[in-house]
Amino acid sequence: MLAAKTCTKDFRLLADIAETTEFERVQALVDILQEIPRVMDILQCIRDLQIRDVWLVSGGIYQTIWNVITDRPLDHGIKDYDVIYFDGRDLSYEGEDAVIQQVQSALPDLGELVEVRNQARVHIWYEQRFGRPYRPLDCAMDSLTTYAARTHAVAAQLGEDGQICIHAPFGLANIFAMRLVPNYSQPNPETYTEKAARMKALWPELEIIPWDVSAASG
């Protein structure tokens, strides 16, 4: 099992904020990602293309960890790998599409599995698609605070020195605990419930914290 080679601590300890530190969880996550060829291919590609403020985020990271924890195939349940970047110089669809094509051409073995989005222009199309407004973002990492689940909010970037940088505004404990926790910064119970049902079917071990309407309104 991959986890035995990459983690110095039991996953149950990494999930326990009383037993391990966030620094230890970050290092454990980095150790795991470094041994996942598909993840490293994506990280190296988007770094080498020199896209502005570019990160691999969300499912391609936390779902990979769940597969390691549960000893499933590394690509089990992963429908795509989300790559986000922030370039406020060009808010056009054409500019974003050019970056999409650039990434897909550089990763021919993954093709459309890699989904690329410019976070600088999300507010332009979000309300028409989802029926509610979305504030303009300040940077790529600003978007993580708006995800339907706190557990989803994780990002990785490969530096020029070959070191992986991790950003997780709500921490990593929920990922290692296999626990899906709502994020009430956006009124998004439908998306949360839909994603929770899909993930529970793929990873039955997952603990789902229900969306609390009173917490959301408070």
Side-chain angles (χ1 to χ4, degrees):
M1 182 176 176
L2 181 65
K5 295 186 291 183
T6 56
C7 278
T8 58
K9 288 185 175 290
D10 186 281
F11 286 120
R12 289 171 295 180
L13 292 181
L14 289 167
D16 188 341
I17 60 173
E19 294 292 334
T20 50
T21 66
E22 185 66 5
F23 176 83
E24 290 172 297
R25 283 183 283 276
V26 168
Q27 189 56 57
L29 177 58
V30 168
D31 289 345
I32 293 171
L33 295 182
Q34 286 176 334
E35 294 194 29
I36 311 295
R38 180 173 287 187
V39 169
M40 291 306 298
D41 286 346
I42 295 171
L43 290 177
Q44 290 170 2
C45 170
I46 60 179
R47 180 199 62 185
D48 293 347
L49 290 175
Q50 298 186 331
I51 302 166
R52 292 168 66 94
D53 194 9
V54 65
W55 300 76
L56 173 65
V57 300
S58 202
I61 299 174
Y62 70 80
Q63 290 171 3
T64 295
I65 301 304
W66 291 350
N67 287 334
V68 171
I69 292 173
T70 60
D71 202 20
R72 288 185 168 91
L74 293 176
D75 59 352
H76 169 79
I78 300 177
K79 65 177 183 179
D80 53 39
Y81 293 83
D82 292 311
V83 169
I84 66 171
Y85 70 100
F86 191 95
D87 191 345
R89 301 171 304 176
D90 186 350
L91 301 185
S92 69
Y93 167 78
E94 291 75 15
E96 182 182 67
D97 188 59
V99 177
I100 293 172
Q101 298 303 320
Q102 186 181 26
V103 173
Q104 291 184 350
S105 296
L107 292 167
D109 293 339
L110 294 178
E112 295 183 359
L113 278 176
V114 180
E115 185 170 292
V116 183
R117 292 291 180 269
N118 183 4
Q119 300 304 289
R121 65 181 305 272
V122 174
H123 64 282
I124 297 173
W125 53 261
Y126 189 95
E127 185 170 6
Q128 182 177 2
R129 180 173 176 182
F130 294 106
R132 56 182 178 274
Y134 189 92
R135 65 175 175 82
L137 298 173
D138 299 317
C139 62
M141 291 298 89
D142 194 12
S143 68
L144 267 64
T145 63
T146 71
Y147 288 0
R150 287 174 172 244
T151 317
H152 295 168
V154 59
Q157 183 186 74
L158 189 65
E160 293 297 333
D161 60 357
Q163 299 299 307
I164 296 176
C165 174
I166 299 294
H167 184 77
F170 304 112
L172 298 172
N174 288 320
I175 293 178
F176 285 107
M178 296 195 68
R179 180 171 55 237
L180 202 66
V181 179
N183 177 20
Y184 299 117
S185 69
Q186 290 283 313
N188 210 359
E190 298 85 5
T191 298
Y192 179 79
T193 302
E194 177 187 338
K195 287 180 177 292
R198 174 184 175 271
M199 292 178 192
K200 184 69 173 178
L202 289 163
W203 295 277
E205 305 88 347
L206 191 63
E207 176 189 0
I208 306 293
I209 305 301
W211 186 280
D212 186 336
V213 176
S214 62
S217 59

